[in-house]
Amino acid sequence: MRKAKKSKYKSVLIKKKRYYFYKITWVDITGDSADWKKRSGLRFGYNYLNNGESPTNGESAKLRSPHMFAIGYELQQTMSGGDWLDILFIQNVTISGLEQSVIAPSANVLVGFEINDTVQLAVGGNLSVYDPSPDGNYIHLVTALGFTAAAGKLSVPLHLVFVPDVNDFWRLAITTGVNW
């Protein structure tokens, strides 16, 4: 009997599906990293999970209400595109449901645009370990619209996030926080 070759990548097993984590290293071929600005900070806000209190996966409802508090951390990188338009990369991890004694973590990776250092539009991927449907849909599209106000050396973002779902378990979130 042949033994399976061990992968050099870290992985996690969720309901008999294996998800691998790959490390991506960015190489600056221009040699000029001065055009990149980085921000990071805490996030908190409100999540709504449509039909979240009525799962169809045969499990008892983990949520008593579809309304959840969210807390997380976000990284943002922008590359200057000139006068008014910048390229935007966002990475975010969030935990929701703590007020219901539930831990529902999710992670997002988005790419988009920032207009005049204040308005952000982005789209990307969402990974959530909680799926109330029987299909095991843990990966979704995520779209986001944001506004960031300068506050001295800090900035205060306000983001609206939508995560569609084929089984009508879509999510809508509004978050704020502080960047440094």
Side-chain angles (χ1 to χ4, degrees), residues 129-156:
V129 297
Y130 179 68
D131 181 32
S133 80
D135 297 344
N137 294 327
Y138 302 108
I139 299 173
H140 296 87
L141 175 75
V142 59
T143 59
L145 171 66
F147 174 80
T148 300
K153 292 182 180 181
L154 304 174
S155 61
V156 178

